[in-house]
């Protein structure tokens, strides 16, 4: 249910405002008593709806129109990003392997409710099928007889709005995690969302969302946290001076390790991007070439964790075709226009993995990015700084900051915002093109990793590294 979504530019910093522009929807109150199913297992009535390109375009247009009334800058960025990204395809990717149906309004609402719980509890543990069925039965099914779910035409419009909300909500969550601004993101959510405080007071189990401590096996990251006001057991109190216990979640084996069997090579190419103040800058993006002639612009996830079939449906623009004659590469994207590049000749380069057996490095990497309109004469400047410090003993630290200013030249009212990223650290390990990060809470994640290159024939450049899909350089 969790996939990384790249919504770039100013859309990410302004997502809470974007979400606030949506019309309130009748999301369930957690205090509502569970609906009693006849057989104790039914998920409730089916709530099918029909979508269309026209309806989805109208949903996006409505979102942008309402957002424009309160935040014109965010509306312009939202329109640009939602034109580039198909929210319907992304939503279907989110539902992959969940058993939920993208054409059933009850399932769509269930996905959003569960995502809200995951965001409020900041957990990436996937919910079980039984938990999803229980949430639909207890929270979505009771609304089936009420507008808009009871009216087919209104049901379709409502479901499309919830799908768009789900995609934006997940994008905002992932961005807030990267920037260390999750509390601010949660505080800025619209009032019609289930309040995060309520969601943190319940556990996701095979019986649905229930008060922590109630019966029902955990099914979504709950580890028996005491209900507020409940006294912890003596066994849960650490001895004086002892470190608090950490619930370690073993990192699952990669499900798509065979992806690497088809790889011809890993490269990176230059592209134009948006920098601080909205200026046009040269960026670099990693590119994986497969032996079958397919190219793939990788995201943050390690390749062995990517379901390429789902990815192709959700993000078709990341895929293309390639051919090679000597050092000349011809790359053809979704637009169908071929572009020729020569290896190591200014726009197309080889990327290098960590050496076999190389598990640690002793380097720091920094990335400066941003957005805004000041470079084009506007008022807004956004700057984002991220830094990784890798130590040879296998420990890492991460920090950064985000700042935004509005000069007020066009309105007469200026403003500024600055925030440090919450410190992060833990253990790390390299394995060729995979970087595994493990936090102090025991949670691990795998990211794509590569060193840059220099000279011709190409040689590794360890002053430049791709961590996820973003390029970092040595700041020293």
């Amino acid at each position: 249910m969790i996939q990384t979504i790249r919504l770039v530019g100013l859309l990410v910093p302004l997502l809470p405002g974007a979400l606030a522009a949506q019309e309130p929807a009748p999301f369930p109150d957690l205090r509502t008593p569970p609906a009693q199913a006849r057989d104790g297992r039914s998920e409730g009535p089916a709530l099918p709806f029909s979508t269309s390109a026209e309806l989805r375009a109208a949903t996006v247009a409505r979102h942008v129109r309402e957002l424009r009334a309160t935040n014109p800058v965010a509306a312009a960025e939202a329109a640009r990003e939602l034109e580039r990204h198909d929210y319907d395809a992304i939503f279907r990717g989110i539902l992959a392997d969940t058993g939920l149906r993208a054409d059933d309004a009850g399932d769509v609402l269930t996905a959003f409710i569960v995502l809200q719980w995951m965001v409020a509890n900041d957990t990436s543990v996937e919910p079980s099928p039984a938990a999803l069925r229980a949430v639909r039965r207890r929270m979505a099914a009771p609304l089936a007889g009420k507008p808009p779910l009871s009216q087919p035409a209104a049901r379709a419009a409502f479901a499309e709005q919830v799908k768009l909300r789900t995609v934006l909500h997940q994008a905002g969550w992932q961005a807030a995690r990267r920037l260390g601004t999750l509390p601010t993101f949660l505080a800025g959510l619209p009032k019609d969302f289930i309040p995060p405080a309520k969601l943190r007071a319940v556990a996701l189990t095979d019986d649905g969302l229930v008060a922590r401590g109630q019966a029902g096996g955990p099914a979504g990251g709950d580890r028996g946290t005491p209900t507020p006001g409940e006294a912890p057991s003596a066994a849960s109190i650490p001895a004086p001076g002892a470190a608090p216990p950490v619930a370690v979640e073993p990192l699952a084996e990669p499900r798509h390790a065979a992806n690497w069997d088809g790889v011809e090579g890993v490269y990176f190419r230059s592209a134009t991007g948006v920098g601080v103040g909205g200026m046009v800058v040269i960026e670099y993006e990693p590119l994986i070439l497969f032996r079958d002639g397919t190219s793939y612009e990788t995201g943050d996830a390690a390749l062995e964790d990517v379901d390429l079939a789902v990815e192709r449906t959700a993000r078709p623009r990341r895929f293309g075709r390639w051919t090679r004659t000597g050092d000349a590469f011809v790359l053809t994207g979704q637009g169908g226009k071929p572009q020729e590049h020569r290896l190591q000749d200014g726009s197309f380069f080889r990327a290098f993995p960590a050496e076999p057996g190389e598990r640690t490095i002793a380097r720091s990497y920094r990335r400066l990015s941003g957005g805004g309109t000041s470079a084009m004469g506007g008022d807004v400047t956004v700057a984002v700084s991220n830094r990784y410090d890798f130590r040879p003993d296998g420990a890492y630290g991460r920090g950064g900051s985000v700042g935004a200013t509005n000069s007020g030249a066009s309105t007469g009212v200026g403003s500024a915002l600055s925030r440090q990223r919450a410190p992060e650290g833990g253990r790390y390990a390299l394995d060729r093109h995979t970087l595994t990060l493990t936090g102090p809470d025991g949670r691990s994640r795998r990211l794509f990793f590569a060193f840059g290159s220099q000279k011709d024939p190409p040689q590794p450049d360890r002053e430049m590294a791709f961590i996820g899909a973003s390029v970092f350089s040595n700041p020293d």
Side-chain angles (χ1 to χ4, degrees):
M1 193 171 177
I2 295 303
Q3 295 186 3
T4 302
I5 301 171
R6 291 183 63 194
L7 298 182
V8 295
L10 280 178
L11 178 60
V12 162
L14 298 174
L15 269 173
L19 288 165
Q22 294 278 0
E23 177 179 301
F27 296 121
D29 189 329
L30 291 177
R31 296 169 297 183
T32 301
Q36 297 298 321
R38 294 179 183 176
D39 59 1
R41 296 175 56 84
S42 171
E43 302 169 27
L47 294 169
F49 69 95
S50 297
T51 186
S52 66
E54 292 76 14
L55 177 57
R56 294 193 295 274
T59 301
V60 171
R62 173 184 176 179
H63 166 69
V64 173
R65 183 176 62 253
E66 294 178 347
L67 181 57
R68 188 177 293 120
T70 58
N71 195 330
V73 173
E77 293 297 327
R80 180 171 66 87
E81 292 302 329
L82 289 172
E83 182 178 0
R84 294 177 55 205
H85 299 271
D86 181 356
Y87 81 83
D88 178 65
I90 295 173
F91 181 80
R92 291 175 183 273
I94 291 174
L95 293 195
D97 300 324
T98 66
L100 296 176
R101 299 153 293 187
D103 59 355
D104 183 280
D107 285 13
V108 169
L109 184 55
T110 297
F112 184 56
I113 292 171
V114 172
L115 177 63
Q116 288 185 83
W117 181 88
M118 296 174 73
V119 172
N121 289 275
D122 196 24
T123 177
S124 297
V125 177
E126 300 289 350
S128 69
L132 293 172
R133 289 194 300 268
V135 170
R136 190 190 191 283
R137 180 175 66 249
R138 298 179 62 173
M139 302 191 71
L143 300 175
K146 305 174 183 178
L149 295 183
S150 61
Q151 303 166 343
R155 180 191 305 160
F158 169 75
E160 287 302 323
Q161 291 182 57
V162 176
K163 286 164 57 179
L164 179 57
R165 278 180 173 228
T166 303
V167 171
L168 293 175
H169 193 45
Q170 181 163 328
W173 175 32
Q174 298 299 325
R177 294 181 79 180
R178 289 195 298 271
L179 298 175
T181 59
L182 186 61
T184 302
F185 172 74
L186 294 175
L189 293 178
K191 294 180 180 180
D192 57 303
F193 278 44
I194 301 175
K198 288 187 177 181
L199 290 166
R200 285 192 289 267
V202 295
L204 180 58
T205 76
D206 287 346
D207 293 326
L209 292 172
V210 300
R212 293 186 183 273
Q214 284 189 4
D222 175 62
R223 301 191 176 276
T225 304
T227 303
E230 174 186 344
S233 65
S236 68
I237 302 175
V246 175
V248 178
E249 300 173 11
L251 189 61
E253 288 297 317
R255 298 171 56 190
H256 305 284
N259 287 348
W260 284 108
D261 297 339
V263 172
E264 184 278 337
V266 180
Y267 300 84
F268 63 98
R269 62 185 174 188
S270 63
T272 56
V274 178
V276 177
M279 71 177 71
V280 177
V281 298
I282 299 299
E283 276 278 19
Y284 294 101
E285 55 190 25
L287 192 69
I288 296 176
L289 304 186
F290 292 95
R291 296 191 185 97
D292 65 358
T294 302
S295 64
Y296 170 56
E297 181 188 332
T298 184
D300 289 334
L303 183 62
E304 60 267 30
D305 289 325
V306 177
D307 186 327
L308 291 173
V310 171
E311 185 80 347
R312 184 182 292 276
T313 300
R315 302 175 179 87
R317 295 190 181 186
R318 289 190 174 180
F319 290 84
R321 305 290 299 174
W322 70 277
T323 59
R324 178 179 183 177
T325 303
D327 283 344
F329 289 75
V330 176
L331 306 176
T332 304
Q334 287 291 312
K337 183 178 180 180
Q339 293 183 324
E340 182 173 325
H341 304 269
R342 289 206 168 265
L343 188 64
Q344 305 298 118
D345 193 24
S347 63
F348 189 73
F349 308 85
R350 183 180 172 189
F352 283 85
E355 294 289 339
E358 182 182 17
R359 296 291 182 261
T360 62
I361 49 178
R363 291 182 184 273
S364 296
Y365 293 100
R366 181 174 179 265
R367 173 177 172 80
L368 182 64
S369 57
T373 60
S374 60
M376 298 172 286
D379 299 352
V380 179
T381 299
V382 178
V384 180
S385 174
N386 280 288
R387 179 180 176 118
Y388 281 94
D389 295 296
F390 297 105
R391 296 191 285 275
D393 63 356
Y396 85 94
R398 186 181 181 189
S401 62
V402 58
T405 62
N406 187 323
S407 66
S410 60
T411 63
V413 180
S415 61
L417 169 69
S418 178
R419 184 175 296 107
Q420 293 293 317
R421 178 189 177 96
E424 175 188 330
R427 308 292 297 176
Y428 78 97
L430 287 175
D431 185 6
R432 298 185 64 79
H433 279 300
T434 300
L435 171 66
T436 302
L437 302 178
T438 302
D441 61 355
R443 295 181 184 177
S444 298
R445 63 186 187 276
R446 283 183 288 257
L447 301 175
F448 171 81
F449 179 86
F451 289 116
S453 65
Q454 58 184 338
K455 302 182 179 180
D456 188 14
Q459 301 176 14
D461 179 4
R462 292 170 178 264
E463 303 300 300
M464 173 184 182
F466 290 90
I467 302 174
S470 299
V471 63
F472 289 72
S473 59
N474 193 320
D476 302 325

